[in-house]
Amino acid sequence: MDSYIFGFPEIDKTKLPLAGGKGINLGELSRIEGVLVPDGFCLTTEAYQRMIGSNKEYSALLDQLSLLKPGDRAGITQISARIRAVIEGIEIAPDIREQIIDYLSRLGEDKAYAVRSSATAEDLPQASFAGQHDTYLNIKGQDAILRHVSKCWASLFTDRAVTYRIQNGFDHRKVYLSVIIQRMVFPQAAGIMFTADPVTSNRKVLSIDAGFGLGEALVSGLVNPDIYKVRDGRILEKKIATKKLALYALEEGGTEKREIEAGRQRMQSLTDTQIQELGRLGRKIEACFGSPQDIEWCLDEGRFYIVQSRPITTLFPIPGGGGKENRIYVSVGHQQMMIDAIKPLGMSFFEFLSRGFPLHKAGGRLFIDYTYDLSSPLGRKLLVGLVGKADPLVLNAMLSLMKRKGYIKSLPRGKRVLSMRTEGLSWQLLVQAVKISRKPDPAIIQNLIAQNEASIKDLQRQIAGVSGEELLAFIMNDYRNFKKMLFSPQSLGVIMAGMLAMNWLNKQMERWLGEKNAADTLSQSVPNNVTSEMGLELLDVADVVRQYPAVIEYLPHATDETFFKDLAGLEGGLEVSDAIRAYLDKYGMRCPGEIDITKPRWAEQPTALIPMILSNIRNFGPQASRAKFEQGLREAEQKARALLGRLEKLPGGRPKVRSTKKKIRVMRNLIGYREYPKYSFIQRYWVYKQALIKEAAKLVQKGVIREKEDIYYLSFEELRETVRTGQLVYSVITKRKAEYEFYEKLTPPRLITSDGEVLTGAVNTDRFPPGALAGVPVSTGNVEGRARVILQMADADIQEGDILVTTSTDPSWTPLFVSVKGLVTEVGGLMTHGAVIAREYGLPAVVSVENATRVIKDGQQIRVNGTEGYVEILS
């Protein structure tokens, strides 16, 4: 007879498919010396599969469930309830009943038991499923236990479990349930212990939630727990809750709520000695599992019992893996407006660009180690002045850390990231910026652009003649040479001169005239801004498309594979194809998240432009491109005249006017180039990518990889070795794909310490209206309109007068800006791309509004104050 039962000591990690996540964790716990685990056993998933495997009604309902989306709540509720009823109605097979009863007789039939669910996709490092399946406490008697086994099986299809699986991409047919039957403990106190602080993510601070009676009262939210914080065996903090209720077991089975007598309500659930003992147990369990743990514990007659331990899945990995020294890591993605996970090949290219910087990978993102800068007084000043410009909340997080004098003193000293030796920073750069400011000749920019365009043509010609390992070596060498041009003192000097002029204008106009962010309007419609030109030129494409109704009717149904072929068969299709191809020739290398070379470009997915083209047709008339540019130019000129007129009337007005005129000229002549260097290296990315994809096709033909895109999951050096040897262990690709899927679900921190502590920077809200969402003002003005919460450009359905609300914007989002009235983002700073283009187009904009896409609902009326930096929800 097949065995469907394992005792806890028999269960190890190899039995995950049989015992589920909770089962294998209890098996591991039962083998840790000094850890008490209540006796019990596991009814394997094979018993579940045998019971439901041949049931046709169950199978048919599962087919219906697999078609539903997370938002189909009514459908999920209805079908899940029917599946649960089917499962509970199936009689447990005699041989399975016999094995359960036999094991119960060994443990004691008259005892009380907890009957607990353990799914194969539960309590795992990458998916906790915590609370998704049911647990039943204090169950007595064979019949009651067998009945609750069926209830546990059925709980695989609670609404919450089904929705969780759909959201996390788990196949309903591939998740099975085992059932844990475990001796009940009737504790005086119980609770949860996190071996990493759940609030700050600090791995060295252990947090204990405790209350009287059964721990289920805390888990279900019935009572507020005491909270104890422990570090290195020392109690850091105690928060004693008023505990009016507790959950206790009944003699006849089941549980009940009881009031706690008044004298005990404010007592500690655990003594200080017990807190420290439990903390030591937590660290022992964490060491055994090798990662921070979420542990359920009970205290009975002075002894601690552990009834569960699962990985904490919400923690962001520590860059550099932690260590003994205190270190500080700042997110690269928040500086680049791209906080998505990056594939390994994309990581390699960005590392090449940032070579010389102490970069660390974690959670599919890159972080810079700024420890030595923060330990130095000069380094701290440079960090505040440079890094804070890109994302003010990073700056605020650093400033809050700097207030911890003891922590800052504990930081090791060494070679700073930011100094005049840093690539792109030098005294020569300052000299160039001053020189260019004195004579802000637009011809300098034209020469720089011409130099880059010639370089791109030369690259395209040369790269066509190389392949194999030679291609990889060629790309590496070209990239090194390109960096010298990208970071040349003249190129960076132009940018610095424009930014210094802009900062001067904002500072002096507020000081002299009380005018905030005056440069926002003064910088509208500046020349040589390749990103804003990209948005306006898509309006010109829309002008071609609007002439042909058959094309407009076709576009919503277009597919990338047959796009241009389909257009050729429509009236006006050739004219539209020519217009779109010309646009892609210039901007086809762009896409959302473009700093990751592996992201699909518009040239690869031209249908990505369709929502924006249709929005332009719907929201604008013909020749809107020229009209918008000229309008911005008029507003900038009017603003300049108004400011100069007011300055002339001030004491010392003439020198103020002279200085202001000069700074306006410097800014307008130079600030547009701010967007060009990124455009130039994305151009190069596209040339490299096309060559690498051709090489990947050869690897597919040789059977080394299965699809061209597999190369994205290799680092550059790994790809180079694969091309050289023609060999690859394919499991590397499979593993990396699974890791990437997990990393995509993580939210990267702006700043994280080597202890894993995540610091967030708050914005001062004292001067804002009640309930307003605080952010950072980056483009002046006030606007009201409908919020369009858009997480992906493909979902962009913009109507005239909408306000775009999103996580972050890079240059690829610019074509949307021509159709909206305002901008709100969760990430960004004064000189990031979204802010620059918002100012150029005259859009009020507020960035660094935390959780904006969750707090603001799509379709709500909102007011954006781009002058002060806040957003109000009006309806």
Side-chain angles (χ1 to χ4, degrees):
M1 183 174 66
D2 293 333
S3 175
Y4 293 100
I5 283 178
F6 290 123
F8 290 161
E10 300 173 83
I11 305 172
D12 58 27
K13 292 177 182 178
T14 65
K15 294 189 171 63
L16 173 63
L18 296 172
K22 191 171 290 165
I24 62 167
N25 290 346
L26 282 167
E28 293 291 330
L29 284 167
S30 69
R31 288 189 291 276
I32 303 176
E33 186 178 350
V35 173
L36 297 178
V37 177
D39 287 339
F41 62 93
C42 170
L43 180 64
T44 70
T45 57
E46 289 180 338
Y48 168 77
Q49 291 178 74
R50 179 178 160 193
M51 297 308 302
I52 56 91
S54 59
N55 189 288
K56 292 181 180 178
E57 185 180 2
Y58 166 85
S59 184
L61 289 167
L62 218 53
D63 287 340
Q64 295 177 42
L65 196 63
S66 66
L67 300 175
L68 299 181
K69 300 287 191 295
D72 298 331
R73 294 181 184 176
I76 289 171
T77 297
Q78 181 185 19
I79 297 172
S80 297
R82 290 171 64 187
I83 293 175
R84 291 196 302 273
V86 168
I87 293 172
E88 289 190 50
I90 298 172
E91 189 174 344
I92 298 176
D95 58 328
I96 297 176
R97 289 174 59 92
E98 185 181 326
Q99 289 185 35
I100 295 171
I101 292 167
D102 179 61
Y103 216 105
L104 282 171
S105 67
R106 296 186 227 171
L107 296 178
E109 292 180 43
D110 58 334
K111 304 296 183 184
Y113 292 87
V115 184
R116 313 170 69 193
S117 306
S118 177
T120 52
E122 182 176 23
D123 292 351
L124 305 178
Q126 296 180 356
S128 76
F129 273 82
Q132 303 304 317
H133 309 116
D134 289 342
T135 287
Y136 300 94
L137 302 178
N138 198 27
I139 308 302
K140 292 185 175 181
Q142 295 176 4
D143 291 342
I145 287 171
L146 290 167
R147 189 167 63 253
H148 283 86
V149 165
S150 294
K151 284 180 173 291
C152 278
W153 284 339
S155 76
L156 194 59
F157 293 93
T158 60
D159 291 5
R160 60 188 183 274
V162 168
T163 302
Y164 189 97
R165 284 199 295 275
I166 295 172
Q167 288 173 332
N168 288 277
F170 287 93
D171 186 339
H172 301 301
R173 292 184 181 276
K174 294 181 180 178
V175 178
Y176 306 115
L177 201 87
S178 72
V179 179
I180 303 297
I181 299 170
Q182 189 174 21
R183 281 274 297 270
M184 272 291 293
V185 174
F186 301 100
Q188 290 78 56
I192 303 164
M193 170 168 51
F194 302 94
T195 63
D197 191 321
V199 177
T200 67
S201 297
N202 192 321
R203 272 45 162 206
K204 292 186 179 177
V205 175
L206 184 145
S207 181
I208 299 170
D209 288 9
F212 295 122
L214 292 167
E216 189 67 17
L218 303 185
V219 174
S220 63
L222 182 65
V223 296
N224 291 324
D226 291 349
I227 300 175
Y228 314 124
K229 301 288 178 76
V230 182
R231 178 168 181 154
D232 298 328
R234 183 170 60 88
I235 300 172
L236 299 178
E237 180 185 332
K238 292 188 289 188
K239 181 182 176 183
I240 312 303
T242 302
K243 300 169 287 294
K244 295 183 179 180
L245 295 172
L247 199 65
Y248 290 99
L250 294 169
E251 187 66 30
E252 64 275 15
T255 60
E256 71 168 2
K257 288 183 284 187
R258 295 181 197 163
E259 283 194 23
I260 297 174
E261 53 270 31
R264 294 182 65 221
Q265 288 180 5
R266 289 290 298 168
M267 284 179 58
Q268 285 185 204
S269 307
L270 299 176
T271 66
D272 287 2
T273 301
Q274 288 170 336
I275 292 168
Q276 291 168 321
E277 180 187 348
L278 185 56
R280 286 192 292 273
L281 270 178
R283 290 298 178 212
K284 179 182 284 192
I285 292 167
E286 179 185 62
C288 173
F289 282 100
S291 67
Q293 297 288 298
D294 167 358
I295 300 167
E296 295 176 27
W297 57 270
C298 302
L299 178 67
D300 182 27
E301 296 183 354
R303 295 194 298 178
F304 284 107
Y305 290 86
I306 305 301
V307 295
Q308 186 50 272
S309 185
R310 62 174 69 87
I312 304 175
T313 59
T314 56
L315 295 174
F316 196 87
I318 300 174
K324 292 183 179 179
E325 286 186 327
N326 288 327
R327 305 201 77 84
I328 313 297
Y329 305 98
V330 173
S331 164
V332 171
H334 285 83
Q335 310 288 299
Q336 291 293 326
M337 302 302 99
M338 200 310 225
I339 57 175
D340 295 343
I342 303 177
K343 296 185 181 77
L345 189 62
M347 287 263 195
S348 290
F349 273 93
F350 200 83
E351 286 177 299
F352 296 154
L353 189 69
S354 308
R355 187 156 284 174
F357 284 75
L359 291 176
H360 295 270
K361 301 172 189 175
R365 279 81 172 182
L366 287 167
F367 293 81
I368 298 179
D369 184 344
Y370 279 122
T371 305
Y372 299 142
D373 299 77
L374 279 162
S375 68
S376 156
L378 178 58
R380 290 195 290 273
K381 287 181 180 178
L382 286 170
L383 269 179
V384 168
L386 294 174
V387 178
K389 294 288 185 186
D391 188 329
L393 293 191
V394 169
L395 170 62
N396 290 353
M398 286 192 295
L399 291 174
S400 69
L401 193 66
M402 290 176 195
K403 291 176 182 176
R404 302 182 190 176
K405 301 298 184 185
Y407 187 88
I408 293 297
K409 285 181 180 178
S410 76
L411 295 175
R413 292 183 171 258
K415 183 181 177 182
R416 301 195 314 270
V417 176
L418 300 177
S419 71
M420 285 306 175
R421 297 185 301 274
T422 304
E423 188 171 43
L425 292 178
S426 65
W427 293 112
Q428 190 181 359
L429 169 60
L430 290 174
V431 170
Q432 280 285 344
V434 172
K435 180 181 175 183
I436 292 166
S437 294
R438 287 175 179 161
K439 190 179 179 183
D441 186 355
I444 298 173
I445 296 175
Q446 293 304 319
N447 290 336
L448 288 168
I449 292 173
Q451 182 184 355
N452 179 70
E453 294 300 322
S455 169
I456 287 290
K457 287 178 181 176
D458 190 46
L459 168 63
Q460 289 169 327
R461 180 181 54 77
Q462 292 186 54
I463 205 169
V466 292
S467 62
E469 190 182 2
E470 186 185 349
L471 170 66
L472 281 293
F474 172 85
I475 288 174
M476 193 79 275
N477 187 56
D478 179 78
Y479 208 34
R480 277 194 289 264
N481 293 333
F482 168 66
K483 277 181 64 180
K484 293 175 184 176
M485 182 170 66
L486 184 67
F487 293 122
S488 72
Q490 188 179 52
S491 178
L492 293 179
V494 169
I495 295 170
M496 179 176 277
M499 290 172 63
L500 289 173
M502 182 180 225
N503 292 339
W504 186 94
L505 286 166
N506 278 333
K507 185 177 178 180
Q508 295 304 115
M509 293 309 101
E510 185 169 4
R511 179 183 165 199
W512 291 338
L513 300 174
E515 179 96 24
K516 285 189 175 182
N517 305 321
D520 292 359
T521 306
L522 293 170
S523 60
Q524 288 182 201
S525 297
V526 294
N528 298 312
N529 188 320
V530 69
T531 306
S532 64
E533 288 167 5
M534 177 176 68
L536 295 176
E537 286 178 35
L538 198 62
L539 285 170
D540 296 333
V541 174
D543 282 349
V544 177
V545 176
R546 78 171 75 242
Q547 302 173 59
Y548 303 107
V551 173
I552 294 173
E553 186 178 347
Y554 160 73
L555 287 181
H557 314 290
T559 59
D560 291 310
E561 293 74 21
T562 62
F563 183 52
F564 290 107
K565 181 181 176 182
D566 292 344
L567 281 177
L570 300 172
E571 183 183 354
L574 293 177
E575 289 81 355
V576 170
S577 287
D578 288 345
I580 292 176
R581 286 184 192 276
Y583 187 84
L584 292 174
D585 285 344
K586 191 171 181 180
Y587 302 113
M589 80 295 292
R590 310 219 85 153
C591 68
E594 60 192 10
I595 65 167
D596 180 356
I597 196 172
T598 71
K599 292 280 189 180
R601 310 283 137 174
W602 289 342
E604 296 170 287
Q605 293 184 342
T607 58
L609 297 173
I610 289 174
M612 295 178 282
I613 291 171
L614 293 176
S615 287
N616 288 344
I617 293 171
R618 187 168 56 242
N619 297 329
F620 298 99
Q623 297 186 324
S625 169
R626 183 170 182 173
K628 283 186 74 69
F629 184 82
E630 290 177 350
Q631 180 187 349
L633 196 58
R634 282 195 303 273
E635 290 176 4
E637 290 170 349
Q638 289 167 3
K639 187 71 172 179
R641 284 196 298 271
L643 291 172
L644 295 172
R646 291 167 63 191
L647 287 171
E648 206 166 19
K649 298 173 183 176
L650 296 177
R654 285 186 179 181
K656 288 183 173 72
V657 167
R658 278 197 304 272
S659 299
T660 303
K661 269 185 179 178
K662 182 181 178 182
K663 294 299 182 184
I664 291 173
R665 187 173 78 256
V666 171
M667 182 190 71
R668 286 197 60 81
N669 282 355
L670 304 180
I671 201 69
Y673 182 72
R674 162 71 177 78
E675 293 292 298
Y676 192 82
K678 185 171 187 180
Y679 172 79
S680 66
F681 89 74
I682 297 301
Q683 279 182 301
R684 247 175 172 76
Y685 265 18
W686 178 225
V687 178
Y688 298 154
K689 185 178 185 182
Q690 291 174 92
L692 290 173
I693 285 294
K694 284 182 182 177
E695 206 59 41
K698 296 175 187 176
L699 294 175
V700 172
Q701 287 178 339
K702 294 176 183 177
V704 179
I705 57 177
R706 294 173 190 170
E707 52 190 14
K708 291 179 289 187
E709 291 76 13
D710 284 345
I711 66 168
Y712 299 161
Y713 297 92
L714 298 172
S715 71
F716 187 85
E717 288 305 320
E718 287 170 337
L719 176 57
R720 193 172 184 170
E721 184 66 12
T722 301
V723 169
R724 186 183 71 81
T725 63
Q727 294 181 334
L728 175 70
V729 178
Y730 195 77
S731 59
V732 170
I733 302 292
T734 306
K735 179 174 178 282
R736 299 261 177 90
K737 286 182 177 180
E739 287 173 345
Y740 179 75
E741 283 185 19
F742 173 59
Y743 293 152
E744 280 188 300
K745 298 169 188 173
L746 296 177
T747 300
R750 285 176 161 86
L751 187 151
I752 184 171
T753 72
S754 51
D755 291 344
E757 183 179 358
V758 172
L759 282 91
T760 57
V763 176
N764 183 7
T765 61
D766 293 345
R767 66 187 189 281
F768 298 160
L773 305 178
V776 175
V778 293
S779 185
T780 194
N782 292 276
V783 67
E784 292 182 18
R786 182 182 70 154
R788 290 296 285 120
V789 181
I790 297 172
L791 302 181
Q792 300 180 58
M793 280 181 58
D795 301 328
D797 178 19
I798 298 291
Q799 302 288 338
E800 186 177 4
D802 285 347
I803 296 171
L804 175 61
V805 181
T806 189
T807 50
S808 62
T809 62
D810 61 12
S812 70
W813 287 74
T814 301
L816 284 182
F817 285 23
V818 299
S819 297
V820 299
K821 287 170 62 177
L823 174 69
V824 179
T825 69
E826 294 180 347
V827 178
L830 186 65
M831 292 311 298
T832 50
H833 301 282
V836 170
I837 304 306
R839 289 193 292 272
E840 168 113 3
Y841 285 172
L843 305 176
V846 180
V847 302
S848 289
V849 181
E850 287 211 88
N851 300 315
T853 59
R854 279 173 270 180
V855 178
I856 300 170
K857 307 303 179 190
D858 188 60
Q860 284 183 320
Q861 285 292 119
I862 62 173
R863 180 186 295 127
V864 176
N865 188 318
T867 305
E868 299 294 335
Y870 61 84
V871 181
E872 294 175 274
I873 298 174
L874 305 178
S875 68

